[in-house]
Amino acid sequence: MAAERKLFLGPRLRRLRRELGLNQSAMAGELGVSPSYLNHLERNQRPVTAQVLLRMARAYDVDLKAFTAEGEGTGADHLAEIFADPMFSDIAVPRYELLELADNAPAVADAVSRLYAALVERRNAPAVEGEPAGVTPETWVRDYIQAQRNHFPYIEEAAETLAGAIGERLFVFAELRRRLKEAFGVETRVVPPETLEGTSQHYDYHRKRLMLSELLRPESRTFAVAYQLALFEFRPLFTRMLESAAPPDAPGRRLLHMSLANYAAGAIMMPYAAFLTAAERHRYDIDRLCAEFGASAEQVSHRLTTLSRSGARGIPFFMLRVDAAGNVSKRFAGESFPFSRFGGTCPRWNLHAAFQTPGRVATQIVETPDGQRFFTISRTVDRAIRLDPRESGQLAIGLGCDVRHAARLVYSDGLDLSEPYVTPIGPACTICPRLRCPQRAAAPAGRTLTVNEMQKTISPYPFLG
């Protein structure tokens, strides 16, 4: 049996201590170790033992799986994706160096990732003379939200308080509308889409009027009113959070502000404690949760990725949303996220096949190259609004969690989880190590191709393992 890998988690331990506002002596005392020993741990001169990890879990309610995973920063897999770029084709960076960089210099790894993201965006953007390259607002905001593991405790607390004051969920739209009027003097109107000129909602500051498109479905109207109410109710909280996050530019600040308000709207419609209780009771049945909270399948799916409250965690899900062309428009994860940061998803994941069976839920157990297994759920959803009835209004969403949680999901009923059928998947083709994949769309970077003109292989790009 191979020896277990020693856990050198110094940078993460140091980051946790700083987030808790502790000096080394204080944390050492709470963990029952000497300050010098903690110093050795933080400098990766000693591995973190199981005993220390257990003490951390008790003292700080740390999720050990998330803490010891390659987690919130730029891990070795993400670095491998970056260094698979053709411009590095003459530099064979071994995986152990990527592991050392991710573990020992996480800030440097994050900087490399940010620089590469800026490069990719510059490649894809039309050239503008004199304009400096940089990370786009959406990339910065996406990375910031994921660094928080898509969970914002202060918003959750404020949203639960507000939801408690609103009361009955059966009439939540009417109650939100009433509060918006009584507390802030804002009138809500549903108007023809032509009035809004291509937008789904608009707040008229001068007339204090919130206008919603007639094309919005009831759950989207509720979300729209909750969003606008959150902008008013939580303004001081949002201001503090924006100042703390310090986005690099004005567009990033506005986009983060909108993202926080969207998060708050979902938390108002689906208050944390009530939603988690219902999710556990219904075994994470999305349709049951939609019916109970008056939300859409996409809103519920997104909410499921946020259940990371200390002491009251739900199943840690990840979620993607794609269109029929495979473009990823949403990526959220409550724990690990096994897919490419800069590319799309593996075509062997049945997320893409959901468009062939609209309205049906498809399940699949997938396995990543490092042996992690995930139970996934894929289904189509409708866009919140569709201006042209001739265009497709469907998107596909995929939810996934570690397979060890699968038995808690209603979608696993009838499946043999002890010996399941498992589909091997991978990250972007350029870094996927799988040898015999019929779906491979690109040659793997840094590998020697073994093309033989006298034979044809299953994969169009055979290579040495």
Side-chain angles (χ1 to χ4, degrees):
M1 181 181 295
E4 292 186 2
R5 184 171 69 91
K6 293 182 178 180
L7 296 176
F8 291 93
L9 306 173
R12 297 173 214 180
L13 182 58
R14 182 167 56 251
R15 185 181 303 159
L16 173 64
R17 177 173 59 78
R18 289 173 176 172
E19 288 174 352
L20 294 170
L22 301 175
N23 58 33
Q24 284 188 337
S25 296
M27 175 175 265
E30 293 179 359
L31 296 179
V33 299
S34 68
S36 61
Y37 181 73
L38 180 60
N39 182 263
H40 285 311
L41 294 179
E42 289 192 0
R43 294 169 63 186
N44 274 347
Q45 295 178 345
R46 299 276 185 88
V48 179
T49 65
Q51 187 177 26
V52 170
L53 285 173
L54 290 174
R55 290 175 183 173
M56 285 172 51
R58 288 194 295 267
Y60 310 123
D61 193 26
V62 171
D63 185 328
L64 295 184
K65 186 176 186 296
F67 186 79
T68 57
E70 285 190 354
E72 63 202 49
T74 302
D77 289 338
H78 292 145
L79 289 171
E81 184 179 356
I82 292 170
F83 284 98
D85 191 283
M87 70 175 174
F88 300 122
S89 59
D90 60 332
I91 306 175
V93 182
R95 185 169 177 79
Y96 76 84
E97 289 189 12
L98 300 180
L99 286 167
E100 287 181 358
L101 177 59
D103 286 343
N104 298 330
V108 175
D110 288 343
V112 169
S113 177
R114 187 175 298 179
L115 287 170
Y116 184 73
L119 172 64
V120 170
E121 288 158 3
R122 170 57 65 187
R123 286 174 177 170
N124 295 334
V128 178
E129 186 175 355
E131 180 180 318
V135 176
T136 61
E138 57 268 29
T139 297
W140 188 92
V141 171
R142 180 198 66 193
D143 290 345
Y144 174 79
I145 291 174
Q146 191 49 49
Q148 317 307 313
R149 297 194 179 277
N150 196 29
H151 180 74
F152 296 93
Y154 295 120
I155 295 180
E156 295 288 1
E157 293 173 8
E160 277 191 309
T161 300
L162 178 57
I166 290 170
E168 181 57 58
R169 284 201 301 269
L170 287 176
F171 309 103
V172 66
F173 175 76
E175 291 297 312
L176 291 171
R177 187 177 184 180
R178 179 184 61 80
R179 186 175 181 94
L180 199 55
K181 175 66 173 177
E182 294 180 355
F184 302 99
V186 176
E187 182 182 359
T188 303
R189 290 188 179 181
V190 178
V191 301
E194 293 78 14
T195 303
L196 298 178
E197 299 181 345
T199 63
S200 61
Q201 67 187 80
H202 172 71
Y203 174 62
D204 187 328
Y205 178 82
H206 298 289
R207 290 187 289 179
K208 303 194 76 171
R209 182 179 298 168
L210 174 63
M211 293 178 286
L212 309 179
S213 172
E214 289 177 344
L215 297 178
L216 284 173
R217 294 179 177 82
E219 61 271 15
S220 296
R221 292 180 186 178
T222 303
F223 190 92
V225 178
Y227 170 88
Q228 192 64 49
L229 184 59
L231 288 175
F232 289 121
E233 295 272 5
F234 303 155
R235 179 176 296 169
L237 172 60
F238 289 160
T239 298
R240 291 195 300 271
M241 294 180 70
L242 289 168
E243 290 174 352
S244 175
D249 51 34
R253 183 182 180 89
R254 289 194 293 269
L255 184 57
L256 179 57
H257 193 185
M258 179 182 290
S259 298
L260 295 176
N262 279 329
Y263 185 103
I268 292 168
M269 289 178 63
M270 297 165 275
Y272 193 100
F275 184 78
L276 176 58
T277 299
E280 293 285 351
R281 183 173 67 251
H282 298 314
R283 298 182 60 215
Y284 293 86
D285 184 329
I286 294 173
D287 291 319
R288 289 291 299 273
L289 292 170
C290 289
E292 182 163 338
F293 290 90
S296 69
E298 182 176 341
Q299 290 166 358
V300 166
S301 299
H302 188 173
R303 187 66 170 131
L304 287 173
T305 69
T306 67
L307 303 181
S308 300
R309 175 177 285 177
S310 178
R313 291 187 171 91
I315 292 177
F317 284 100
F318 60 81
M319 171 194 171
L320 280 86
R321 187 183 71 183
V322 302
D323 62 18
N327 299 305
V328 180
S329 52
K330 278 188 178 181
R331 303 173 194 250
F332 294 107
E335 191 179 61
S336 58
F337 191 82
F339 301 106
S340 168
R341 175 176 292 187
F342 299 104
T345 62
C346 179
R348 303 188 74 176
W349 185 22
N350 66 12
L351 170 63
H352 305 276
F355 292 103
Q356 301 172 16
T357 56
R360 295 182 57 186
V361 174
T363 62
Q364 186 181 27
I365 296 177
V366 299
E367 183 176 86
T368 57
D370 61 359
Q372 293 187 82
R373 290 186 175 184
F374 297 91
F375 184 85
T376 66
I377 307 157
S378 302
R379 63 179 293 167
T380 56
V381 296
D382 293 321
R383 294 180 186 273
I385 195 167
R386 181 171 48 155
L387 295 177
D388 189 339
R390 295 166 296 184
E391 296 179 351
S392 171
Q394 289 194 327
L395 301 166
I397 57 172
L399 277 173
C401 64
D402 192 292
V403 74
R404 63 192 172 91
H405 301 298
R408 296 167 60 186
L409 307 180
V410 67
Y411 304 101
S412 68
D413 288 353
L415 299 179
D416 183 0
L417 296 176
S418 60
E419 295 184 12
Y421 177 78
V422 177
T423 301
I425 64 169
C429 288
T430 53
I431 60 170
C432 182
R434 299 198 182 279
L435 289 169
R436 298 177 184 85
C437 177
Q439 302 282 0
R440 180 174 288 280
R447 300 297 185 100
T448 302
L449 292 180
T450 57
V451 176
N452 183 344
E453 64 272 21
M454 301 304 294
Q455 67 179 14
K456 289 189 176 181
T457 56
I458 294 174
S459 170
Y461 301 103
F463 59 93
L464 292 176

